[in-house]
Amino acid sequence: MPEKLSIDIARAALSLLQYLEKHPIEAIPDAPERLRTRVIRPLGETDATDEVTYTSPEAGMWELAQAATAAAAEPGAPTAIVEAAAALQAMVPPERLPELAAAQSARPAGIQLVHKGPYLVSAAEKVVNHLGEPLPVRPLMALCRCGQSADKPYCDGTHATVDFQDTKDPKRVPNQRDTYVGQQVTVFDNRGICAHSGLCTDRLAGVFHAGGEPFVTPSGGRMDEIVRAVRDCPSGALSFAIDGREAREQVDQPRKPAITVTEDGPYRIVGGTPLVDDEGVDVPRNTGVSREHYSLCRCGHSQNKPFCSGMHYYVGFHDPVIDPAAEVSLFQWAGGYPALLRMTRIFYEKYVPSDPLVGPIFANMAADHPERVAEWLGEVFGGPKFYSTEHGGYSRMISQHVGKNLTAPQRARWVQLISQSAEDAGLPADAEFRAAFVAYLEWGSRIAFENSQSEAHPPPNMPMPRWWWVCNAEPRFRASALAPIEETPEVVLPGDDETVSFQTHIKPLFPVPRPGVDEVRFRPLVVRRRQGARSGDPGSVGPWIDALRRSLEQGTGAGPTPLDRVRHVRLTATTPRM
C-alpha cells in the first residue's frame, strides 16, 4: 500500500510538472525544479502519464499538496511521502495551511530522520532564527541536514547529489558521564553529546574550563551561577545534583516546543520534542543526557549524527551572507531576543534580590517578568513586535508603573544594574551600541519615573517607542583604533578617456571598509585622511571627486551600475564630512 501511494503521488507530481512547464505559477517561478528535486526525487522516478489539465496551476499544486498530506498522515507513512508532502506544503498559500494541518492531525508532532536525508518536522509550534525572530512554520517541514542546501534552513534535495552520509564516526568522543562533586552542588557532564557551544566556558570560566582538566570545578562559582549555566547548556550534556539527588526536573525547564536555527551552527531543540528514526523508533541518547533539549547537526559533518558535535566550527559551515548593505538594528547588533533575555535574567536573578533600592520594587513580579522586559526592549530596539502582540504595547507598560512612586535613587540604581547585567551577559561593548543602549535606559527610566508619580497623568494611546543609533553612528562604519593595521591600497585615478571602474578607482578611496559599498548604496564619504588629504583641503581631493562624478554619470550601456542606485548623493568641491 505505501509503495502504491508513492507511485500514485509521483505520477501526479510528474503530470503537474508537465503542466507547469507550459503554465507556470507566477509567484513560484522555480516550482518545476522544486517538483523535480524535492517531490519526485524522494518518491522515485516514474513513467510519464497522459497530459492532465487543471483549472489553474495553483489549483493543481493545491490538489497535489492535499493528496500528499493525506498520505503522509497515514500510520507508518514512508519518509519519502512525508518529505514530498513537506515540499508541496511549501508551495501553497499560507492561508491554506490550516486545512493541511487539520488533514495531518493524526500524525504525531516531532522530528523524524530520513536515512541519508533531511529532518522531517511535524506540527512544529515555533521555529526561530538565532535572533529569536519567527520563521515561517508549516504543518510539515523538511530541514536541511547535509549542510549544503541553497535554501537553508530548508532542504532542497542537495543531499541526494552530494552522497550525504548519516553514520556516526567511530572516532567520536565516547559516551561517558562524568561526575564532579563540589561543596554545594555536584555537576554531571557527558562529553559524548557536547555540541561545544562554549556557553558554559565563556560565561562561567571559573567552573567550566575549555581544554582543561578537570573540565568542571564546581566549587569555583556560586551555586545559582552554576545552575544557570547547566540549564543554558543547549546540547543536554550537563546536569546537577544537590544533596546527592539529581535535579533533572530543574534542568529540564517546562518550555513549549521550539526549534532555533542558530547562526552558522546547529538546530537547538527545546520542549521535549520527540526524535525518531526513519522507522519511527526513538533515537537512542547518551547516558544521562536531557530529552527536553538537544542540538541537531546542521553542517552535515558531525561525528555524532544526528546530534551536533561542534564540527561546524572546523569545517567552516556558514549560512548565506546577509546583504551587507542592509541596515542593522540595535536589536540585531545586541544579539536579538536571546541576548536580551540573558541580560534581564541576570538582572532579576543576580542583582535585584540583594539590592535594597530596587529589590522591593520587584518582590512580587510575575515569573515571566524577565521575558516581558526582554520582549519590550527587543521591540523598542527594532525587533519583532512580541510585546505589543502578547502584552498590549505601550499602554500596558505604562500601567505597570502607575502609582509606584519611584524615587530618583531607585531609577538611577536600575540603570546602573541593568548596565552591569549587559556587561555580564556579553552584550556588545562598542562605543556606538553602548551610547544608544545607555541613552535608552536613561530616557526610558525617566519616562517610567515620571509616569509613576501619584500626580502623573500619562498621555493615552501613545505608540511604542523606537530607538536607533545615536546620530546614526553604527560601529560597522568606524575604524577601531584596536584593529590590525592594514596596508592602504594604492589609489589609481582614471585617465581622461578611461571608463571609471568602481573596484579599481572608487572603492579604494574609502578609508574604512563599508558593508555594501559595492552593492546598493554609495555614500561619498571617501576622501578623509587619504594620502595626506585633510578635512578642508579641497585641492588634494578634487581629482577624486571628479572621478566620483564621472562614475555617477556613466550608468549607461550594459545596464545599471551600483552607482546608478545612489541615494541622496551630494558631491561638493570640499571634503565630504565623515
Side-chain angles (χ1 to χ4, degrees):
M1 180 66 174
E3 183 178 354
K4 183 179 184 303
L5 272 175
S6 297
I7 294 173
D8 290 345
I9 295 172
R11 285 177 174 169
L14 184 57
S15 296
L16 179 60
L17 171 61
Q18 295 168 343
Y19 181 80
L20 291 182
E21 288 175 339
K22 299 178 181 178
H23 310 279
I25 299 177
E26 185 175 345
I28 316 175
D30 64 340
E33 180 61 20
R34 290 164 73 171
L35 281 174
R36 288 189 192 92
T37 58
R38 308 186 194 191
V39 178
I40 297 173
R41 177 200 50 77
L43 294 171
E45 295 296 334
T46 185
D47 297 332
T49 61
D50 295 334
E51 186 172 338
V52 178
T53 300
Y54 303 91
T55 56
S56 70
E58 292 81 4
M61 186 67 73
W62 171 245
E63 180 182 320
L64 183 57
Q66 282 183 302
T69 299
E74 292 291 328
T79 56
I81 290 180
V82 182
E83 184 178 348
L88 289 164
Q89 289 186 8
M91 292 188 281
V92 301
E95 62 270 17
R96 306 209 70 169
L97 291 177
E99 296 178 61
L100 298 181
Q104 70 169 60
S105 58
R107 181 174 175 82
I111 300 173
Q112 184 174 23
L113 310 179
V114 176
H115 180 48
K116 298 184 180 182
Y119 300 107
L120 300 178
V121 182
S122 301
E125 294 185 25
K126 183 179 180 181
V127 181
V128 299
N129 65 13
H130 69 285
L131 297 173
E133 298 169 319
L135 297 177
V137 175
R138 299 183 290 272
L140 286 175
M141 294 181 291
L143 298 183
C144 174
R145 189 178 172 202
C146 72
Q148 299 189 50
S149 171
D151 190 25
K152 297 182 183 72
Y154 307 106
C155 171
D156 67 356
T158 299
H159 58 273
T161 63
V162 298
D163 192 29
F164 168 66
Q165 300 296 316
D166 56 6
T167 55
K168 295 181 183 290
D169 188 332
K171 297 179 182 179
R172 67 186 181 278
V173 177
N175 174 19
Q176 176 180 311
R177 198 185 204 206
D178 298 316
T179 302
Y180 302 91
V181 180
Q183 291 183 341
Q184 293 182 297
V185 62
T186 295
V187 175
F188 302 107
D189 172 58
N190 192 322
R191 298 283 81 199
I193 197 66
C194 179
H196 301 280
S197 67
L199 300 188
C200 59
T201 53
D202 291 347
R203 299 175 186 176
L204 200 57
V207 175
F208 300 95
H209 310 283
E213 289 295 338
F215 174 63
V216 183
T217 52
S219 297
R222 298 204 318 257
M223 183 170 68
D224 63 316
E225 293 177 326
I226 295 174
V227 169
R228 185 185 302 115
V230 168
R231 296 180 75 176
D232 286 345
C233 171
S235 68
L238 296 176
S239 186
F240 69 88
I242 298 177
D243 295 332
R245 187 185 74 83
E246 183 172 3
R248 173 56 69 186
E249 73 283 359
Q250 297 296 323
V251 178
D252 294 345
Q253 306 162 61
R255 295 180 281 193
K256 293 181 178 180
I259 299 173
T260 298
V261 184
T262 65
E263 184 177 25
D264 302 335
Y267 301 105
R268 290 177 181 165
I269 318 299
V270 301
T273 302
L275 180 66
V276 300
D277 64 17
D278 55 352
E279 298 294 333
V281 178
D282 186 66
V283 173
R285 316 292 176 96
N286 282 11
T287 304
V289 305
S290 174
R291 300 183 72 86
E292 186 273 336
H293 55 278
Y294 52 93
S295 297
L296 294 176
C297 172
R298 195 161 72 90
C299 71
H301 293 274
S302 172
Q303 296 177 316
N304 188 36
K305 298 184 186 78
F307 303 104
C308 172
S309 70
M311 285 299 293
H312 50 278
Y313 294 114
Y314 302 100
V315 300
F317 174 72
H318 293 291
D319 286 307
V321 177
I322 298 174
D323 180 5
E327 294 179 337
V328 178
S329 67
L330 292 171
F331 172 80
Q332 293 169 313
W333 194 263
Y337 177 73
L340 295 172
L341 179 59
R342 185 164 65 250
M343 177 190 71
T344 57
R345 282 178 173 168
I346 290 173
F347 174 73
Y348 289 108
E349 294 174 9
K350 181 178 180 179
Y351 292 112
V352 165
S354 60
D355 190 83
L357 273 177
V358 300
I361 301 173
F362 300 104
N364 295 315
M365 66 179 176
D368 66 344
H369 192 74
E371 285 80 359
R372 294 187 185 190
V373 176
E375 290 168 351
W376 168 270
L377 291 172
E379 186 170 344
V380 168
F381 290 159
K385 297 182 178 180
F386 291 151
Y387 192 89
S388 294
T389 302
E390 299 179 17
H391 306 298
Y394 184 79
S395 298
R396 166 72 178 180
M397 176 59 75
I398 292 300
S399 72
Q400 301 303 296
H401 296 86
V402 171
K404 291 290 195 300
N405 287 297
L406 301 175
T407 67
Q410 286 175 324
R411 184 209 69 79
R413 185 63 168 159
W414 183 88
V415 172
Q416 178 188 6
L417 293 180
I418 202 76
S419 297
Q420 183 59 52
S421 300
E423 290 283 347
D424 295 353
L427 265 65
D430 55 85
E432 290 81 3
F433 176 77
R434 288 307 172 97
F437 180 71
V438 174
Y440 174 73
L441 296 183
E442 287 288 343
W443 181 86
S445 64
R446 292 175 189 276
I447 295 296
F449 169 79
E450 177 183 306
N451 285 307
S452 74
Q453 305 308 304
S454 57
E455 66 273 20
H457 301 286
N461 305 317
M462 295 295 288
M464 281 286 292
R466 291 288 185 272
W467 213 252
W468 199 244
W469 302 97
V470 176
C471 299
N472 284 329
E474 299 182 41
R476 60 187 182 145
F477 291 159
R478 175 178 62 86
S480 172
L482 301 177
I485 298 177
E486 298 181 0
E487 183 178 349
T488 302
E490 180 183 357
V491 176
V492 180
L493 293 175
D496 293 341
D497 299 325
E498 184 179 359
T499 299
V500 180
S501 165
F502 186 83
Q503 291 294 331
T504 303
H505 304 127
I506 304 301
K507 193 171 182 179
L509 300 180
F510 281 72
V512 180
R514 295 173 184 271
V517 70
D518 54 354
E519 296 293 336
V520 178
R521 293 179 185 81
F522 175 69
R523 304 182 183 188
L525 313 177
V526 298
V527 290
R528 188 178 69 174
R529 299 173 185 169
R530 301 294 297 189
Q531 297 184 339
R534 295 173 297 173
S535 180
D537 181 8
S540 64
V541 300
W544 296 350
I545 291 180
D546 288 341
L548 294 175
R549 184 176 289 111
R550 285 173 56 192
S551 67
L552 293 174
E553 296 169 351
Q554 203 173 269
T556 57
T561 68
L563 295 180
D564 292 325
R565 298 187 289 271
V566 172
R567 296 180 179 180
H568 310 298
V569 172
R570 293 183 298 174
L571 296 177
T572 67
T574 59
T575 306
R577 293 180 300 166
M578 291 301 289

